[in-house]
Amino acid sequence: KAGVTQTPRYLIKTRGQQVTLSCSPISGHRSVSWYQQTPGQGLQFLFEYFSETQRNKGNFPGRFSGRQFSNSRSEMNVSTLELGDSALYLCASSLDVGIEQYFGPGTRLTVT
Amino acid sequence: GENVEQHPSTLSVQEGDSAVIKCTYSDSASNYFPWYKQELGKRPQLIIDIRSNVGEKKDQRIAVTLNKTAKHFSLHITETQPEDSAVYFCAASEGNYGQNFVFGPGTRLSVLP
């Protein structure tokens, strides 16, 4: 099976812009989670989707949003970008809760 | 909410020695505890996991132990090799409704030849 894929791999945006990141889970996986990884804060949970429903949300401002499509592909959107949003954004997929979660390669977002 | 602490933050061992990384969690409802290895510039990779109904699990040179009473779990790597050098993350998940992994801050392991 193909692994988790994310596009784009790299992005450079300026403050105030918005960005959309995409994640395609492993075939058959219905749960997709998003994480922000920074050197200072480690891996922080953003949200999780299962069958197009957001089931869990981390402590991030409303500028961070996401959605999941019927084919389990997921997108996350960040509006009004701030310098502090520069990070590696990772998505991970799993069959369901409480079981193995597999990460994609990440999208490195740089906000200038 | 869940809080996961991880120690040490950095660890250097000689090739062939053992390495132990410890994590503690706060939410007694957490029932799934994976460990991830992240090499520089790469994605985190699941290396071993344990569920709350099991006390120990081994896979070749790596093992994980869980003490539910004390709410801590540990990763043990024996006969370390240079390719074991990476950042290791532990995580805890309640797993009853939705995925909500809380990760530890990571341990940078360096295996010296």
Side-chain angles (χ1 to χ4, degrees), chain A residues 1-5 24-30 72 93 102:
Chain A
K1 281 185 182 178
V4 180
T5 59
S24 292
I26 293 171
S27 177
H29 285 194
R30 294 193 294 167
S72 294
S93 78
Y102 297 93

Side-chain angles (χ1 to χ4, degrees), chain A residues 3-4 31 33 35 37 42-43 45 48 53-56 88 90 94 96-105, chain B residues 31-32 34 36 38 41-46 49 51 87 89 93-105:
Chain A
V4 180
S31 170
S33 298
Y35 297 87
Q37 186 174 31
L43 274 159
F45 172 75
E48 185 251 355
T53 300
Q54 185 182 88
R55 294 195 297 191
N56 267 305
L88 180 67
L90 291 158
S94 66
D96 204 335
V97 300
I99 57 177
E100 308 84 68
Q101 193 174 71
Y102 297 93
F103 282 88
Chain B
N31 56 19
Y32 176 62
Y36 286 86
Q38 188 174 28
K42 296 190 176 180
R43 72 188 77 187
Q45 289 202 303
L46 178 68
D49 57 11
R51 300 183 194 285
V87 178
F89 294 96
S93 171
E94 181 183 346
N96 286 328
Y97 181 72
Q99 292 281 32
N100 187 1
F101 286 86
V102 178
F103 283 81

Side-chain angles (χ1 to χ4, degrees), chain A residues 67-88:
Chain A
R67 58 178 176 168
Q68 186 180 35
F69 302 95
S70 58
N71 62 358
S72 294
R73 188 178 71 84
S74 178
E75 289 182 346
M76 69 163 278
N77 184 77
V78 188
S79 62
T80 320
L81 284 165
E82 300 177 359
L83 294 177
D85 296 333
S86 294
L88 180 67

Side-chain angles (χ1 to χ4, degrees), chain B residues 42-59:
Chain B
K42 296 190 176 180
R43 72 188 77 187
Q45 289 202 303
L46 178 68
I47 56 171
I48 197 167
D49 57 11
I50 194 167
R51 300 183 194 285
S52 57
N53 59 348
V54 176
E56 183 175 359
K57 184 176 177 181
K58 288 186 73 173
D59 183 3

Side-chain angles (χ1 to χ4, degrees), chain B residues 7-8 10-22 35 61-63 74-81 84-85 88 107-111:
Chain B
H7 299 280
T10 59
L11 178 60
S12 293
V13 299
Q14 291 294 135
E15 183 177 356
D17 286 351
S18 295
V20 180
I21 303 169
K22 297 181 180 179
W35 285 88
R61 295 187 299 108
I62 60 174
S74 300
L75 177 71
H76 304 253
I77 306 174
T78 59
E79 300 171 23
T80 53
Q81 301 166 3
D84 294 329
S85 296
Y88 291 81
T107 295
R108 183 173 299 280
L109 173 64
S110 299
V111 179

